[in-house]
Every structure is written in structure tokens, then in C-alpha cells.
Amino acid sequence: MLQLPALLLSQTPLSARQTAWLKRHYGWLLGVLWLLMQVALLWKHGGPRHVNDSNRYIIYATQIAEQWFFEHDHNLRYVGYPFYCSLWLALGWGEWGIVLGQMLVAGAAAWAFHQALLHLTGRALVAGGATALLLGWFDTQNLNAYVLTESLFTSGITLCFWSFTKAHNGWGIVRLVLLALGTALLRPNGFLVPLALVLGAGWQWRRWLLRPACRPWLALVVLAVAPVVWVVLNKLLLTFTLVETYLRGEIIYAYTAWTLEPREPLQLPPPGLSPVFRLGYFVLHNPVYVTKLALLKGGLFFSYVKSYYSFGHVLAVVLVIYPCYWLAWVGSRAGVFPVGVRAFLVAVVALQGFIVMLTVEDWDVRFLIPVLPCIFALAALGAATLLARFGEGPPRTARSEPLPEPSPGL
């Protein structure tokens, strides 16, 4: 006699069995989603995508691979990415190796993203849903196929988020510092990652750091770091002609359809000033004009949409990203989750937004994409908070801070 399928003989409802199967295998589904997205990208772009900025990375990487020569000035600010590219060139894999490596790192970052959220919230549904969004949102994966810094930069920020949630001992802290430094070397604005970590750790330890016994030591650290910051800022601004960009009224780089015209003559800095003083002079003497420019660039940056986007793209942003902004706001205020992690995520987004307001927005979303994992992570914390609020059980609450508390004595 033919045996009826076990499913029909079972008294367990089909939906419950599906739910159990999904909980058991959703990790594999996420892996398949990652693979399908990467294959789709390679098919869409016809292989690795080479654009204007790719040329100088490849030239620089070739110099490193063949002569171990590192450039100075502007390209020094991107040294991490050409060094990464040089490894694949030395192996003979060329741009295919560069792009496939970026895709593998992006996959590892997605796994780490899931693990971090599962650790924080204890909710597989929340962690899996946020990871599916990270993998399924086209823009967050699209740059994996480009020979550009943004793919590794996005993955580096994501890995730092995961490492921060796991930094409970000495090795965890060392791993976090190494990841932060490696990410910082990929782009000129990479310094925002270690700075955000300092802000996150500082906010977590603020009560200890502000103790009377710690204040002199904190002042000494600030005095010691200030000259280094001064030199680094001047080096970073040396080849970025921000004042000239302001004079052109650019909101989007090299996009002349949207510009801001000053209503009164602008006061220019005198010659001979250092880059930081030059920028500071222009801002202080033209505050209204600079403020308008900054608000336009910041608003456009966070709005995500541009007038030349398709209706479908704009609709997807409105229906997906804007609710994530609201959930991220909820998550940033959810005191049940470690304050250091939340402060780090908020700091990354805020610092990137501030940098765009200070410089210029990109015609695409290259500058927003690296911080989307932080927004998605905060949104996941917000979703876990709302689920708890509406009776779905509390989020995992007995979570210690990621960084160990300092000893009370000096």
C-alpha cells in the first residue's frame, strides 16, 4: 500500500511546520539570496564594472604590485583600496578578482550583520529580515560589481558594527581596532569609522571618563591628539578645493542643473592660509550662504531620491527606506540595547551626513550606501522594540555593554 505523505498524517498545522522549517533553514535562504544578487549584478554589468575613478585605482594598484610604490598627496587618501586591488593584480586575477573578492567580503559582512543583530535582539525574525533587506536592496549590493572603494567601505563599517557587539575582551578590542583602521584607509572620509568608535566608547564610558580623577588624563589626551588632528585635517583638505566648490554653488558634484546662487558678494579668504583656516574663514564670513548650501546637500543626501530617478526607484525608497528612518529613530532611543553600539551606529550616519554637508553630494547614492547598514541595524533594534511593545515578548534585555567597563580605580 502506498504510504501517505507524513505531512498529511501529521496533526501539526502546515503553517506551523513551515514556520519551523523557515527558522531552521532561513540562513541558507539568505545565502542563496546573496548568491543570486551577485550573479544578477555580474550579468547586469557584463562582469566587473569599470568607471572613471577605477582608472587611478588600477594604475596605483599596478604600481604597488610591480614596484611597491605608494603615491603621495591625493591618492594617499585611498591607499587601502589600491593595496587591496594590488593583491589581486599580483595573483593575476585582475578586475575579476577585485570584484569577486568584494562580493565575498560583502557576504561575510552580511553574515556578521545577522550575527550582531541576533546577539543584540535575540529575534531570528528581526535579524533575518534586516539581513534580507541588506542583501536584497539593490543599491547596497550594486557597488560590489564596481572597481570602487564603496563596496569594501560598506562591508568594513558593517564588520566594525559586528565586532563592536563582540568586543568583550582584549582580543575582541584588538580585532575591532584593526577592522576600524583597515576601513579608515579605504577612503578619505574613512576616519569617521574610528571616530565613531571613539564616540561610541566614550558615550558608554562617559560617567567614568568625567570623574574628577579622570579629567586631567582626559585633558592630556585631548592636548596630545589635537596636533595630530590638525595635521591630518590639513592633509585631507589640501587637494579638496572646497572653497572653489562653494563658489560654484554645487549641491551635487559636477551637476550644474542644481546650483545655489549667492544673493550678495562672497568674501574670499586671503592667500597663504592653511586649508583648515581657509575653509573656516569662508564659512565664518559667508554664514548664510554656506548654511543654505549645507542644508540643501544634507537634505538631498538623506532624502535618497533625485529628480532623474525613475518613478519605481523613488517609490521603493519612499516605501522602504523612509520607514527604516523612522524605525532607526526608535531603535536609537531604545535603552534596552547597549548604548555604546547605538551611539556608534548613530555617529557613523551623522558624521557621514556632516561630511556631505561640508563637501558635496554625489549624483548617485554612493555616499549614502555605506551608512545604510547602520540605518538598517538601528531599524532592526526599533522593530524589536515595537514587537515587544505590542505583546510579542521582550527583546533580549540582559545584554552587557560590548566593551568591558573600566576599572573604578586609576
Side-chain angles (χ1 to χ4, degrees):
M1 181 183 293
L2 293 175
Q3 296 290 331
L4 290 174
L7 178 63
L8 298 178
L9 295 176
S10 173
Q11 296 180 353
T12 304
L14 181 61
S15 59
R17 293 177 67 85
Q18 287 178 325
T19 301
W21 182 89
L22 186 61
K23 287 183 177 180
R24 189 177 304 112
H25 299 290
Y26 79 93
W28 289 102
L29 296 177
L30 291 175
V32 170
L33 176 60
W34 166 80
L35 181 60
L36 290 176
M37 284 296 296
Q38 312 315 309
V39 172
L41 288 172
L42 292 174
W43 176 80
K44 178 181 184 296
H45 295 299
R49 185 70 183 270
H50 191 104
V51 293
N52 288 337
D53 283 347
S54 305
N55 292 324
R56 57 193 178 94
Y57 299 140
I58 295 299
I59 293 172
Y60 193 1
T62 303
Q63 292 174 346
I64 296 174
E66 296 180 354
Q67 306 170 23
W68 201 244
F69 175 76
F70 291 85
E71 294 185 10
H72 302 288
D73 299 327
H74 187 76
N75 279 341
L76 183 62
R77 295 153 179 77
Y78 301 85
V79 64
Y81 189 68
F83 180 76
Y84 160 81
C85 295
S86 72
L87 300 178
W88 294 105
L89 296 182
L91 292 172
W93 284 58
E95 293 188 5
W96 272 99
I98 293 169
V99 165
L100 292 177
Q102 289 175 171
M103 291 178 170
L104 289 174
V105 175
W111 172 86
F113 181 80
H114 171 269
Q115 293 299 108
L117 288 178
L118 189 62
H119 173 79
L120 290 170
T121 68
R123 292 180 180 273
L125 176 63
V126 170
T131 307
L133 179 58
L134 177 67
L135 290 172
W137 187 252
F138 178 80
D139 288 340
T140 57
Q141 300 300 306
N142 184 41
L143 291 172
N144 294 344
Y146 284 71
V147 182
L148 291 172
T149 62
E150 280 75 16
S151 174
L152 285 187
F153 190 51
T154 304
S155 297
I157 291 174
T158 308
L159 289 169
C160 285
F161 161 58
W162 161 76
S163 187
F164 198 3
T165 65
K166 302 288 186 177
H168 296 290
N169 51 40
W171 161 240
I173 294 174
V174 170
R175 178 181 59 196
L176 175 60
V177 170
L178 292 177
L179 282 172
L181 292 178
T183 306
L185 294 175
L186 292 170
R187 290 187 50 77
N189 62 325
F191 70 87
L192 71 86
V193 179
L195 179 56
L197 288 174
V198 170
L199 293 174
W203 191 250
Q204 177 182 322
W205 292 342
R206 63 190 183 280
R207 292 186 179 87
W208 183 84
L209 291 171
L210 295 177
R211 293 168 63 239
C214 293
R215 290 173 188 171
W217 296 100
L218 184 61
L220 286 175
V221 171
V222 172
L223 290 174
V225 170
V228 177
V229 173
W230 174 261
V231 172
V232 170
L233 283 177
N234 277 291
K235 287 290 186 181
L236 287 173
L237 294 175
L238 187 62
T239 56
F240 288 101
T241 54
L242 294 185
V243 172
E244 287 71 20
T245 302
Y246 294 163
L247 293 176
R248 293 193 298 269
E250 283 188 351
I251 300 170
I252 299 176
Y253 178 71
Y255 185 68
T256 57
W258 291 356
T259 57
L260 179 66
E261 295 293 334
R263 294 187 175 181
E264 55 188 21
L266 299 174
Q267 298 188 42
L268 300 180
L273 294 180
S274 68
V276 174
F277 276 140
R278 190 167 184 265
L279 177 61
Y281 182 97
F282 188 86
V283 171
L284 291 176
H285 287 80
N286 305 281
V288 175
Y289 176 72
V290 172
T291 301
K292 287 180 180 179
L293 263 180
L295 291 177
L296 286 171
K297 289 181 284 190
L300 191 60
F301 170 74
F302 284 109
S303 75
Y304 201 125
V305 298
K306 308 288 193 300
S307 62
Y308 41 81
Y309 283 4
S310 67
F311 175 77
H313 197 172
V314 173
L315 184 63
V317 169
V318 172
L319 294 179
V320 176
I321 300 300
Y322 288 3
C324 284
Y325 283 162
W326 175 70
L327 285 173
W329 170 254
V330 175
S332 69
R333 298 165 57 85
V336 69
F337 300 112
V339 65
V341 172
R342 289 184 287 120
F344 165 72
L345 294 172
V346 171
V348 170
V349 178
L351 288 171
Q352 180 73 337
F354 175 75
I355 291 171
V356 169
M357 293 171 72
L358 188 66
T359 55
V360 69
E361 169 65 325
D362 189 69
W363 71 274
D364 209 340
V365 287
R366 282 173 57 186
F367 297 161
L368 182 64
I369 294 306
V371 302
L372 276 184
C374 297
I375 294 171
F376 292 163
L378 287 168
L381 301 184
T385 302
L386 293 180
L387 286 173
R389 188 178 301 172
F390 289 104
E392 294 294 329
R396 184 173 294 176
T397 55
R399 277 291 164 207
S400 60
E401 292 287 359
L403 295 176
E405 289 294 329
S407 172
L410 285 176

